[in-house]
Amino acid sequence: MKGMDVRMSKVLEVNNLQVSFDTYAGEVQAVRGVSFELEEGEVLAIVGESGCGKSVTAQTIMKLNPMPPARIKDGEIILNDKDIVQATEKEMRQIRGNDVSMIFQDPMTCLNPTMQIGKQLVEAIKNHRKLSKDEAMEEAIRLLKLVNIPNPEQRIKQYPHEFSGGMRQRVMIAMALSCEPKLLIADEPTTALDVTIQAQIMDLLQEIKEKTNTAIILITHDLGVVASMADRVAVMYAGKVVETGTSKDIFYNPSHPYTKALLKSLPSTDMDRSTRLVSIPGTPPDLLNPPVGCGFASRCEHCMKICHEVYPYQFDVDEKHVSACWLLHDDCPSPKVGGEK
């Protein structure tokens, strides 16, 4: 609460995570040394273009990527003081739901179309909590109320096809919360929904965070979605985190050229009809053969020779704001648009 000295406990710490996929074409280095941490009740948004590694990172925390072809090459995932990289599948079945839960992009692919919503919720609750069938049903109704589904006593008897897309996503959120996890991962939870429902789902996640103090990782390609909700933002590109800071830092003082380009591509309320959105030229690098230097170098208007040769350090921009860009080096001249310097 504001004005009180509340000590926050660390829920998750990811250190130098490296994940590859072994394919017929070779090794795809999807995640290349990602590090971040998350405290109780905090919202961390991981943003970036499709293919940057954000969903692979999230699914690796749950250990949902099939192994093989996926392979954790290096790194630690410390969840509630335990490194789960070496956890067995039996151990992970206890960790999933109890310690960490996930909301996926498309709820219709995650809900059983032949089972009533209530039975699916009760099954999820009874798998992890020692409750009778009646107690589990009462808990399921409570969870549907928590996610603002009207008439839960009646709707719990309905099937997934009788719910709208937004309502199905609310059911998925209720299911994810059913075991009272300390960490909730929302992987593109609003992608399949229209704009109005997107706002409602984001408001709901914010409301749940305030009620339960659950830590949330929000995976999205849309910076606009996280503007009002995220405490911190990690920007990913080509399998690496290129900039991390508070939401205010990222939106009002971005320092990495990729973050700036993402923000320029967002529409704003003060645009007139003649204003064109800015697109990022070029394409992301091939992670079958990732670049030695900065992955964004070939698309960056401020690119220098060193950008192609050495990956930049993490430079401190502010107290909780870091960015991996050579433009922040003390010896770097003032950037000029285009060309080598």
Side-chain angles (χ1 to χ4, degrees), residues 11-54:
V11 174
L12 176 71
E13 187 175 354
V14 176
N15 297 315
N16 191 35
L17 182 64
Q18 299 178 38
V19 182
S20 287
F21 289 83
D22 296 313
T23 72
Y24 70 92
E27 178 190 355
V28 178
Q29 299 177 43
V31 177
R32 305 188 295 138
V34 165
S35 299
F36 60 86
E37 57 186 41
L38 191 65
E39 293 183 340
E40 192 177 60
E42 186 179 24
V43 178
L44 171 69
I46 302 179
V47 303
E49 289 174 284
S50 297
C52 70
K54 55 190 187 297

Short mmCIF file of all heavy atoms in Angstrom, two decimals, residues 11-54:
data_model
loop_
_atom_site.label_atom_id
_atom_site.label_comp_id
_atom_site.label_asym_id
_atom_site.label_seq_id
_atom_site.Cartn_x
_atom_site.Cartn_y
_atom_site.Cartn_z
N VAL A 11 9.85 -13.58 -6.37
CA VAL A 11 9.12 -14.78 -6.79
C VAL A 11 9.91 -15.55 -7.84
O VAL A 11 9.97 -16.78 -7.82
CB VAL A 11 7.73 -14.39 -7.34
CG1 VAL A 11 7.02 -15.60 -7.93
CG2 VAL A 11 6.88 -13.76 -6.25
N LEU A 12 10.53 -14.81 -8.77
CA LEU A 12 11.20 -15.44 -9.91
C LEU A 12 12.50 -14.72 -10.22
O LEU A 12 12.58 -13.50 -10.17
CB LEU A 12 10.29 -15.40 -11.14
CG LEU A 12 10.86 -15.94 -12.46
CD1 LEU A 12 11.01 -17.46 -12.40
CD2 LEU A 12 9.98 -15.54 -13.64
N GLU A 13 13.52 -15.51 -10.56
CA GLU A 13 14.79 -14.96 -11.02
C GLU A 13 15.28 -15.81 -12.19
O GLU A 13 15.50 -17.02 -12.04
CB GLU A 13 15.82 -14.96 -9.88
CG GLU A 13 17.10 -14.25 -10.23
CD GLU A 13 18.07 -14.16 -9.05
OE1 GLU A 13 17.68 -14.56 -7.93
OE2 GLU A 13 19.20 -13.70 -9.26
N VAL A 14 15.42 -15.20 -13.34
CA VAL A 14 15.93 -15.88 -14.54
C VAL A 14 17.32 -15.34 -14.82
O VAL A 14 17.51 -14.13 -14.96
CB VAL A 14 14.99 -15.64 -15.75
CG1 VAL A 14 15.57 -16.27 -17.01
CG2 VAL A 14 13.61 -16.20 -15.46
N ASN A 15 18.30 -16.23 -14.89
CA ASN A 15 19.69 -15.83 -15.08
C ASN A 15 20.28 -16.49 -16.32
O ASN A 15 20.37 -17.73 -16.40
CB ASN A 15 20.55 -16.22 -13.87
CG ASN A 15 20.11 -15.51 -12.60
OD1 ASN A 15 19.87 -14.31 -12.62
ND2 ASN A 15 20.01 -16.23 -11.50
N ASN A 16 20.68 -15.68 -17.30
CA ASN A 16 21.40 -16.13 -18.49
C ASN A 16 20.72 -17.33 -19.16
O ASN A 16 21.37 -18.30 -19.54
CB ASN A 16 22.85 -16.49 -18.14
CG ASN A 16 23.72 -16.70 -19.37
OD1 ASN A 16 23.55 -16.03 -20.39
ND2 ASN A 16 24.62 -17.67 -19.30
N LEU A 17 19.42 -17.27 -19.33
CA LEU A 17 18.67 -18.38 -19.92
C LEU A 17 18.96 -18.48 -21.42
O LEU A 17 18.84 -17.50 -22.15
CB LEU A 17 17.17 -18.19 -19.69
CG LEU A 17 16.26 -19.30 -20.21
CD1 LEU A 17 16.54 -20.62 -19.50
CD2 LEU A 17 14.79 -18.91 -20.07
N GLN A 18 19.34 -19.69 -21.84
CA GLN A 18 19.62 -19.95 -23.25
C GLN A 18 18.84 -21.19 -23.67
O GLN A 18 19.01 -22.26 -23.09
CB GLN A 18 21.11 -20.18 -23.47
CG GLN A 18 21.98 -18.97 -23.09
CD GLN A 18 23.45 -19.23 -23.27
OE1 GLN A 18 23.86 -19.89 -24.23
NE2 GLN A 18 24.26 -18.71 -22.37
N VAL A 19 17.97 -21.01 -24.68
CA VAL A 19 17.12 -22.11 -25.15
C VAL A 19 17.29 -22.23 -26.67
O VAL A 19 17.19 -21.24 -27.40
CB VAL A 19 15.64 -21.86 -24.81
CG1 VAL A 19 14.79 -23.05 -25.27
CG2 VAL A 19 15.45 -21.61 -23.32
N SER A 20 17.54 -23.46 -27.12
CA SER A 20 17.66 -23.72 -28.56
C SER A 20 16.69 -24.79 -28.98
O SER A 20 16.21 -25.59 -28.16
CB SER A 20 19.09 -24.16 -28.89
OG SER A 20 19.98 -23.08 -28.82
N PHE A 21 16.39 -24.82 -30.30
CA PHE A 21 15.58 -25.88 -30.89
C PHE A 21 16.43 -26.58 -31.94
O PHE A 21 16.98 -25.92 -32.84
CB PHE A 21 14.32 -25.31 -31.53
CG PHE A 21 13.31 -24.81 -30.54
CD1 PHE A 21 13.42 -23.54 -29.99
CD2 PHE A 21 12.26 -25.62 -30.14
CE1 PHE A 21 12.49 -23.07 -29.07
CE2 PHE A 21 11.33 -25.17 -29.21
CZ PHE A 21 11.44 -23.90 -28.67
N ASP A 22 16.57 -27.88 -31.83
CA ASP A 22 17.35 -28.65 -32.79
C ASP A 22 16.42 -29.08 -33.93
O ASP A 22 15.51 -29.90 -33.74
CB ASP A 22 17.98 -29.87 -32.12
CG ASP A 22 18.99 -29.46 -31.05
OD1 ASP A 22 19.83 -28.59 -31.35
OD2 ASP A 22 18.94 -30.00 -29.92
N THR A 23 16.62 -28.51 -35.11
CA THR A 23 15.76 -28.77 -36.26
C THR A 23 16.56 -29.43 -37.38
O THR A 23 17.80 -29.52 -37.31
CB THR A 23 15.15 -27.46 -36.79
OG1 THR A 23 16.17 -26.69 -37.45
CG2 THR A 23 14.55 -26.63 -35.65
N TYR A 24 15.85 -29.86 -38.41
CA TYR A 24 16.54 -30.49 -39.56
C TYR A 24 17.49 -29.51 -40.22
O TYR A 24 18.48 -29.90 -40.86
CB TYR A 24 15.50 -30.99 -40.57
CG TYR A 24 14.78 -29.89 -41.30
CD1 TYR A 24 15.25 -29.41 -42.53
CD2 TYR A 24 13.63 -29.30 -40.77
CE1 TYR A 24 14.59 -28.39 -43.20
CE2 TYR A 24 12.97 -28.28 -41.44
CZ TYR A 24 13.45 -27.84 -42.65
OH TYR A 24 12.81 -26.82 -43.30
N ALA A 25 17.22 -28.19 -40.09
CA ALA A 25 18.07 -27.18 -40.72
C ALA A 25 19.25 -26.78 -39.84
O ALA A 25 20.17 -26.12 -40.30
CB ALA A 25 17.24 -25.95 -41.06
N GLY A 26 19.20 -27.16 -38.56
CA GLY A 26 20.27 -26.79 -37.64
C GLY A 26 19.71 -26.29 -36.32
O GLY A 26 18.52 -26.43 -36.03
N GLU A 27 20.56 -25.69 -35.52
CA GLU A 27 20.19 -25.21 -34.18
C GLU A 27 19.61 -23.80 -34.26
O GLU A 27 20.29 -22.86 -34.69
CB GLU A 27 21.42 -25.20 -33.26
CG GLU A 27 21.12 -24.67 -31.87
CD GLU A 27 22.38 -24.44 -31.04
OE1 GLU A 27 23.47 -24.79 -31.50
OE2 GLU A 27 22.25 -23.87 -29.93
N VAL A 28 18.36 -23.65 -33.86
CA VAL A 28 17.72 -22.34 -33.78
C VAL A 28 17.92 -21.82 -32.35
O VAL A 28 17.38 -22.37 -31.40
CB VAL A 28 16.21 -22.40 -34.11
CG1 VAL A 28 15.59 -21.01 -33.97
CG2 VAL A 28 16.00 -22.95 -35.51
N GLN A 29 18.70 -20.74 -32.22
CA GLN A 29 19.01 -20.18 -30.90
C GLN A 29 17.91 -19.17 -30.53
O GLN A 29 18.06 -17.97 -30.70
CB GLN A 29 20.38 -19.54 -30.91
CG GLN A 29 21.50 -20.54 -31.24
CD GLN A 29 22.87 -19.89 -31.30
OE1 GLN A 29 23.21 -19.05 -30.47
NE2 GLN A 29 23.64 -20.26 -32.31
N ALA A 30 16.80 -19.68 -30.01
CA ALA A 30 15.61 -18.86 -29.79
C ALA A 30 15.76 -17.87 -28.64
O ALA A 30 15.26 -16.74 -28.70
CB ALA A 30 14.40 -19.76 -29.54
N VAL A 31 16.42 -18.29 -27.57
CA VAL A 31 16.65 -17.43 -26.40
C VAL A 31 18.14 -17.45 -26.12
O VAL A 31 18.73 -18.51 -25.91
CB VAL A 31 15.84 -17.92 -25.18
CG1 VAL A 31 16.14 -17.07 -23.95
CG2 VAL A 31 14.35 -17.90 -25.48
N ARG A 32 18.76 -16.25 -26.08
CA ARG A 32 20.22 -16.18 -26.06
C ARG A 32 20.75 -15.36 -24.88
O ARG A 32 21.32 -14.30 -25.03
CB ARG A 32 20.72 -15.56 -27.37
CG ARG A 32 20.23 -16.30 -28.62
CD ARG A 32 20.88 -15.80 -29.88
NE ARG A 32 20.53 -14.41 -30.18
CZ ARG A 32 21.41 -13.51 -30.62
NH1 ARG A 32 22.67 -13.84 -30.80
NH2 ARG A 32 21.00 -12.28 -30.90
N GLY A 33 20.52 -15.87 -23.67
CA GLY A 33 21.08 -15.20 -22.50
C GLY A 33 20.15 -14.19 -21.87
O GLY A 33 20.56 -13.06 -21.60
N VAL A 34 18.92 -14.58 -21.62
CA VAL A 34 17.91 -13.68 -21.04
C VAL A 34 17.99 -13.72 -19.51
O VAL A 34 18.06 -14.78 -18.91
CB VAL A 34 16.49 -14.07 -21.51
CG1 VAL A 34 15.42 -13.40 -20.66
CG2 VAL A 34 16.31 -13.70 -22.97
N SER A 35 17.97 -12.53 -18.90
CA SER A 35 17.98 -12.41 -17.44
C SER A 35 16.95 -11.37 -17.00
O SER A 35 16.86 -10.30 -17.60
CB SER A 35 19.36 -12.00 -16.92
OG SER A 35 20.35 -12.96 -17.25
N PHE A 36 16.19 -11.70 -15.98
CA PHE A 36 15.28 -10.73 -15.34
C PHE A 36 14.81 -11.32 -14.02
O PHE A 36 15.05 -12.50 -13.73
CB PHE A 36 14.08 -10.38 -16.24
CG PHE A 36 13.22 -11.56 -16.62
CD1 PHE A 36 12.19 -11.99 -15.79
CD2 PHE A 36 13.42 -12.22 -17.82
CE1 PHE A 36 11.39 -13.06 -16.13
CE2 PHE A 36 12.62 -13.30 -18.18
CZ PHE A 36 11.61 -13.71 -17.32
N GLU A 37 14.17 -10.50 -13.20
CA GLU A 37 13.61 -10.98 -11.94
C GLU A 37 12.25 -10.34 -11.71
O GLU A 37 11.89 -9.35 -12.35
CB GLU A 37 14.55 -10.68 -10.78
CG GLU A 37 14.91 -9.22 -10.61
CD GLU A 37 15.96 -9.00 -9.53
OE1 GLU A 37 16.92 -9.79 -9.45
OE2 GLU A 37 15.80 -8.02 -8.77
N LEU A 38 11.49 -10.94 -10.81
CA LEU A 38 10.12 -10.50 -10.58
C LEU A 38 9.80 -10.64 -9.10
O LEU A 38 10.09 -11.66 -8.49
CB LEU A 38 9.16 -11.36 -11.41
CG LEU A 38 7.70 -10.91 -11.51
CD1 LEU A 38 7.60 -9.57 -12.23
CD2 LEU A 38 6.88 -11.96 -12.24
N GLU A 39 9.21 -9.58 -8.54
CA GLU A 39 8.86 -9.60 -7.13
C GLU A 39 7.36 -9.82 -6.95
O GLU A 39 6.57 -9.66 -7.88
CB GLU A 39 9.29 -8.28 -6.47
CG GLU A 39 10.79 -8.10 -6.39
CD GLU A 39 11.19 -6.84 -5.66
OE1 GLU A 39 10.35 -5.92 -5.54
OE2 GLU A 39 12.34 -6.75 -5.20
N GLU A 40 6.99 -10.18 -5.74
CA GLU A 40 5.59 -10.42 -5.40
C GLU A 40 4.73 -9.21 -5.74
O GLU A 40 5.06 -8.08 -5.42
CB GLU A 40 5.51 -10.72 -3.90
CG GLU A 40 4.20 -11.28 -3.42
CD GLU A 40 4.24 -11.61 -1.95
OE1 GLU A 40 4.47 -10.69 -1.14
OE2 GLU A 40 4.07 -12.79 -1.59
N GLY A 41 3.61 -9.45 -6.42
CA GLY A 41 2.68 -8.36 -6.73
C GLY A 41 3.12 -7.44 -7.85
O GLY A 41 2.47 -6.44 -8.13
N GLU A 42 4.21 -7.78 -8.54
CA GLU A 42 4.74 -6.93 -9.61
C GLU A 42 4.28 -7.44 -10.97
O GLU A 42 4.07 -8.63 -11.17
CB GLU A 42 6.27 -6.94 -9.55
CG GLU A 42 6.94 -5.98 -10.52
CD GLU A 42 8.46 -6.00 -10.42
OE1 GLU A 42 9.01 -7.02 -9.97
OE2 GLU A 42 9.08 -5.00 -10.79
N VAL A 43 4.12 -6.51 -11.91
CA VAL A 43 3.77 -6.86 -13.29
C VAL A 43 4.96 -6.52 -14.20
O VAL A 43 5.37 -5.37 -14.28
CB VAL A 43 2.51 -6.11 -13.79
CG1 VAL A 43 2.22 -6.47 -15.24
CG2 VAL A 43 1.31 -6.44 -12.91
N LEU A 44 5.50 -7.56 -14.84
CA LEU A 44 6.58 -7.37 -15.81
C LEU A 44 6.03 -7.68 -17.19
O LEU A 44 5.51 -8.77 -17.45
CB LEU A 44 7.75 -8.32 -15.50
CG LEU A 44 8.86 -8.37 -16.57
CD1 LEU A 44 9.63 -7.05 -16.62
CD2 LEU A 44 9.82 -9.53 -16.31
N ALA A 45 6.13 -6.72 -18.10
CA ALA A 45 5.72 -6.94 -19.49
C ALA A 45 6.96 -7.27 -20.32
O ALA A 45 7.97 -6.57 -20.24
CB ALA A 45 5.04 -5.70 -20.04
N ILE A 46 6.89 -8.35 -21.07
CA ILE A 46 7.96 -8.70 -22.01
C ILE A 46 7.41 -8.46 -23.41
O ILE A 46 6.44 -9.10 -23.83
CB ILE A 46 8.42 -10.16 -21.84
CG1 ILE A 46 8.90 -10.40 -20.41
CG2 ILE A 46 9.52 -10.49 -22.84
CD1 ILE A 46 9.34 -11.83 -20.14
N VAL A 47 7.98 -7.51 -24.12
CA VAL A 47 7.44 -7.09 -25.41
C VAL A 47 8.47 -7.26 -26.51
O VAL A 47 9.67 -7.31 -26.27
CB VAL A 47 6.96 -5.62 -25.36
CG1 VAL A 47 5.93 -5.42 -24.27
CG2 VAL A 47 8.13 -4.67 -25.13
N GLY A 48 7.97 -7.34 -27.73
CA GLY A 48 8.84 -7.46 -28.89
C GLY A 48 8.08 -8.04 -30.07
O GLY A 48 6.95 -8.52 -29.94
N GLU A 49 8.71 -7.99 -31.25
CA GLU A 49 8.10 -8.54 -32.47
C GLU A 49 7.91 -10.04 -32.36
O GLU A 49 8.55 -10.71 -31.55
CB GLU A 49 8.99 -8.24 -33.67
CG GLU A 49 9.04 -6.78 -34.10
CD GLU A 49 10.06 -6.56 -35.21
OE1 GLU A 49 11.27 -6.54 -34.92
OE2 GLU A 49 9.64 -6.43 -36.37
N SER A 50 7.05 -10.59 -33.19
CA SER A 50 6.90 -12.04 -33.27
C SER A 50 8.24 -12.68 -33.62
O SER A 50 8.96 -12.18 -34.48
CB SER A 50 5.85 -12.40 -34.34
OG SER A 50 4.59 -11.89 -33.99
N GLY A 51 8.56 -13.77 -32.91
CA GLY A 51 9.80 -14.47 -33.18
C GLY A 51 10.99 -13.98 -32.39
O GLY A 51 12.10 -14.47 -32.58
N CYS A 52 10.77 -13.03 -31.47
CA CYS A 52 11.91 -12.49 -30.71
C CYS A 52 12.29 -13.37 -29.53
O CYS A 52 13.32 -13.15 -28.89
CB CYS A 52 11.61 -11.07 -30.22
SG CYS A 52 10.36 -10.98 -28.92
N GLY A 53 11.46 -14.36 -29.18
CA GLY A 53 11.80 -15.28 -28.09
C GLY A 53 11.00 -15.10 -26.82
O GLY A 53 11.21 -15.82 -25.84
N LYS A 54 10.05 -14.17 -26.82
CA LYS A 54 9.33 -13.88 -25.57
C LYS A 54 8.43 -15.05 -25.14
O LYS A 54 8.40 -15.40 -23.95
CB LYS A 54 8.53 -12.59 -25.69
CG LYS A 54 7.55 -12.50 -26.85
CD LYS A 54 6.99 -11.11 -26.99
CE LYS A 54 5.88 -11.05 -28.04
NZ LYS A 54 6.36 -11.41 -29.40
#
